[in-house]
Amino acid sequence: MGEGDEGYGEWQELVGAALLGTDRRRGGGPAGSPEALLDAAAVHTVRRRAGLRPAGARPRPEPAPPDPRPAPPEAAARRLAQLLAGRTGAGSGGGGGRRGSAPDLTELLPQWLAAAGRHGYRAPAALVPALLDAARARTDLRPQALALAGTRGLWLARMNPDWRFALRGGAGGGELPDVNDPSAVERLWEEGLFAERVALLGAVRAHEPAAAPRLLATTWASERAEDRLMFLDSLRAGLSLADESFLEAALGDRSRNVRATAAELLSALPQSALAGRMAERAVACVGPEGVTPPAECDGGMLRDGVVKRPPAGRGERAWWLGQLVEAAPLSCWRERFGGLGPAEIVALPVAAAEGWTEELHAAWCRAAVRQRDPEWSRALLGPASAPPAAGPGTASLAERAKLLETLPDGERAEWVAEFVRAHGLSEAFQLLGVCVVPWAGALGRAVVDVLDIAREAGSYPWSFSGVMGLAERCLDPAEAGRLDALTATAEEPPDASPGAAAYWAEAFQRLVSTLRLRAAMLSELTPP
C-alpha cells in the first residue's frame, strides 16, 4: 500500500468517526474528544492538499465571443461595483431593526440593471463574475443580469458549475444568427444551449410572430416537458390567432401543465375556437335568470383545460363554473344580458340568493386579467374611494392589483392615489407595487402625505417600513428637494410611540438620500 493509499484510509477513518461519533467507533481509528477529531482532520487536510499531484494541463478555452455593445461610462461602472459589493455606507445602522439613514444599495441594483439595459450597455468585463454571483443569489435579478453579462457571461457559466443556472436562463445574451438565415436559425435551434434557444425563439417571434410556432413544431415532440412548457409560455408575447393551430394541437400534449398553458393562451384569444366552446358552456350556466353550474365535467371540458378535481374546500360544481367563466370571452356577456355593459352586468344581483355572485365575480376578474380588458377591469374594481370590502368585483387586494395592471399607466396611478388618500397605506402595498416607476406625481404626493400624517400623529413608525422602502425605490427622484423639510426630528406628541420622532426623521433622511443617489445613478448611465 502506497503512502497515498494509507493517507486515504486514515481520512476514511476520520470521516467514519465524524459520522458515528468518537465514542461509537470500535477498534482502531481516531478516538477521543470531538476537539481531537477536528485537530486530526485539520492535519490530514493539509497533508492531502500538500500531496496532491497536479493534473495534466487542459487545452486553453476559446476566447469569449465578442460583445459589440458599449461598456457603461466609467462612473457608472464604479457604481455597479459598489452595488454588487452591497456596501451601505456609514451610519447604516446595526441591530434592533433600525436601518439607519444611508441608502440600501443592494435594493438599487435592479434599477441600475434596468437602466443599463435601456441604454444597451454590456457589463464591464471585470464585473461579470460578481454579476453572475448576484444573479445566482437573487433570482429576481437573473433576466436583467444575464442580459447585461451577455456572451461573456455564458462563456464563464460553462466553466463554473455554480453559474450553471445561466445556461438555462431565459435571457441567452449570446450572439444570435440573422433570423432571415434559415440554415443558421435551424442550426442554433437544434444545437444551442437552452438559453440560446429561448433567446432565438424570442428573436424569431419579434421578427415574425407566426414563425415562432413553426420553429417550435420542428422539435416539439422530442423536447422535455419542462422545456415545452417554457417554450409555450414564450408565445404570450405577440399572441395572435396565427398561433391557434399550434396551441390546439398542444391541448393533446402528454404533460398536464403544457395542456393547461395551451388552454389558457387560447382563452386569451376571444376569437379562438376554444374561446367559442367555453362561451357556449358559460352562457348556458349564467344569465339574467340566475346561475346553474355544470352538473359534470365531460371529456370536452377536460380537453379544453378544465381541471376536474377541485382544491380542498371547493365544491366541484363551483370549481367547474369558475373555470368556464374565466375562459369565456367577456364579449359574450353583453348579448347574454340584453346589451348591458360591464358595469351594469357586474352590478346585477345575479343568483345572490343562491350564493353564486362571489364565485361569478371572481371568475370575471380572472377573465379580465387574462384577456387584458380595461373596461371590465374598471367595472370590477369600482371606485377607489369605496371601502375595499364593498368592491363590486373583489375584495382581494391581490386580485385588484392584477386588474389594475390592465389599465393605462396614468389611470392606474390615479386610481391607486385615490385609494391611498381614502384608505391610507396599510392596504395599499400590493397596489403600489404594480404602478409604473417612477411613480406619477399625484401618486407620489399621496404616499408622502399619508406618511407625513402618520409622522405628525406619532404613529408606530415600524409598521410603515415596507411602504417607506418601496418609496425609496419608486418615488420620482425629482421629489427629493420637496422632502427635505421632513428630515428634521420633530417634537413627539404625548401619546407617540417611544422614539418615533427620531425614527421618522431617520427614515425620511434615508428616503431623500436614496432619491438623490438614484438621480446620480441615472445621470452616470447617460451616454456622454
Side-chain angles (χ1 to χ4, degrees):
M1 180 183 292
E3 184 177 351
D5 295 330
E6 182 180 355
Y8 179 77
E10 293 179 2
W11 178 256
Q12 290 297 98
E13 287 290 328
L14 284 169
V15 172
L19 292 174
L20 297 176
T22 56
D23 57 340
R24 294 176 60 187
R25 293 290 293 178
R26 295 181 181 177
S33 67
E35 291 80 4
L37 177 64
L38 291 174
D39 287 342
V43 171
H44 278 278
T45 298
V46 173
R47 180 185 299 170
R48 293 183 73 197
R49 288 179 177 175
L52 195 65
R53 294 180 179 178
R58 295 181 181 180
R60 291 181 63 181
E62 293 293 325
D67 190 333
R69 298 174 297 173
E74 186 177 344
R78 288 197 301 269
R79 182 74 67 188
L80 176 59
Q82 183 186 22
L83 297 177
L84 289 170
R87 293 194 298 269
T88 55
S92 60
R98 298 293 287 269
R99 291 177 52 201
S101 59
D104 185 349
L105 300 188
T106 59
E107 289 304 312
L108 296 180
L109 182 56
Q111 292 197 16
W112 193 100
L113 294 175
R118 290 194 296 270
H119 286 298
Y121 292 131
R122 60 172 169 81
L127 296 179
V128 173
L131 192 62
L132 290 173
D133 281 339
R136 180 186 177 217
R138 290 180 56 178
T139 56
D140 62 307
L141 296 177
R142 287 184 184 178
Q144 294 172 333
L146 294 181
L148 192 74
T151 53
R152 184 171 278 109
L154 285 178
W155 181 80
L156 284 173
R158 293 187 185 99
M159 304 181 191
N160 186 344
D162 288 343
W163 299 331
R164 191 172 299 157
F165 69 89
L167 305 180
R168 294 193 58 79
E175 185 175 359
L176 298 176
D178 184 347
V179 293
N180 292 309
D181 183 346
S183 60
V185 168
E186 180 182 358
R187 184 166 56 254
L188 182 60
W189 180 250
E190 293 182 351
E191 301 174 2
L193 298 167
F194 181 78
E196 294 170 329
R197 300 178 72 210
V198 170
L200 176 64
L201 186 64
V204 170
R205 184 71 159 173
H207 176 71
E208 183 186 350
R214 292 200 299 269
L215 182 63
L216 270 176
T218 62
T219 58
W220 185 256
S222 61
E223 302 285 0
R224 301 190 311 166
E226 56 266 38
D227 292 348
R228 293 200 307 276
L229 182 61
M230 290 190 68
F231 285 140
L232 195 64
D233 198 62
S234 70
L235 297 183
R236 294 182 189 277
L239 185 68
S240 72
L241 281 176
D243 304 315
E244 183 178 12
S245 60
F246 181 84
L247 294 173
E248 274 282 344
L251 291 176
D253 195 89
R254 55 189 181 272
S255 165
R256 184 180 68 178
N257 290 333
V258 171
R259 295 195 302 270
T261 300
E264 180 190 346
L265 293 174
L266 284 168
S267 67
L269 297 170
Q271 304 302 318
S272 68
L274 179 137
R277 296 192 295 268
M278 288 299 198
E280 288 183 17
R281 297 173 180 129
V283 299
C285 296
V286 179
E289 64 279 359
V291 175
T292 305
E296 63 173 343
C297 183
D298 58 32
M301 290 166 61
L302 289 172
R303 184 182 183 277
D304 285 343
V306 176
V307 178
K308 184 173 185 178
R309 181 173 297 179
R314 294 286 301 278
E316 280 187 337
R317 300 183 70 193
W319 174 241
W320 300 333
L321 173 69
Q323 292 179 81
L324 296 182
V325 172
E326 72 177 276
L330 289 163
S331 57
C332 74
W333 300 113
R334 185 179 291 273
E335 180 180 355
R336 186 70 176 94
F337 284 91
L340 297 180
E344 297 166 306
I345 295 173
V346 170
L348 293 174
V350 179
E354 292 85 357
W356 292 111
T357 303
E358 184 176 344
E359 187 75 43
L360 184 59
H361 282 182
W364 276 335
C365 285
R366 296 192 296 272
V369 171
R370 183 179 297 184
Q371 297 171 40
R372 313 299 297 173
D373 192 308
E375 188 179 6
W376 270 88
S377 293
R378 292 186 193 101
L380 293 159
L381 281 166
S385 57
T394 175
S396 163
L397 290 172
E399 196 70 63
R400 286 186 165 206
K402 294 177 183 176
L403 291 170
L404 280 167
E405 288 187 282
T406 70
L407 301 183
D409 296 346
E411 183 181 353
R412 189 188 317 168
E414 290 175 6
W415 196 97
V416 177
E418 185 180 350
F419 184 94
V420 168
R421 287 192 292 267
H423 311 296
L425 292 168
S426 60
E427 295 185 307
F429 191 83
Q430 284 180 291
L431 307 182
L432 290 167
V434 300
C435 292
V436 174
V437 177
W439 288 337
L443 176 57
R445 287 190 293 274
V447 171
V448 172
D449 288 345
V450 173
L451 288 171
D452 190 24
I453 291 171
R455 178 186 69 94
E456 290 182 346
S459 298
Y460 191 65
W462 294 274
S463 61
F464 293 91
S465 60
V467 174
M468 188 65 81
L470 197 61
E472 293 169 18
R473 300 188 294 275
C474 301
L475 268 179
D476 190 334
E479 295 286 316
R482 196 174 68 85
L483 301 178
D484 275 331
L486 303 179
T487 60
T489 303
E491 186 177 344
E492 289 189 357
D495 55 348
S497 302
Y503 178 94
W504 279 111
E506 188 178 82
F508 277 111
Q509 290 165 14
R510 184 174 61 251
L511 174 58
V512 170
S513 60
T514 301
L515 294 179
R516 292 195 166 121
L517 177 55
R518 285 174 52 208
M521 279 172 38
L522 296 176
S523 176
E524 292 162 356
L525 283 162
T526 302

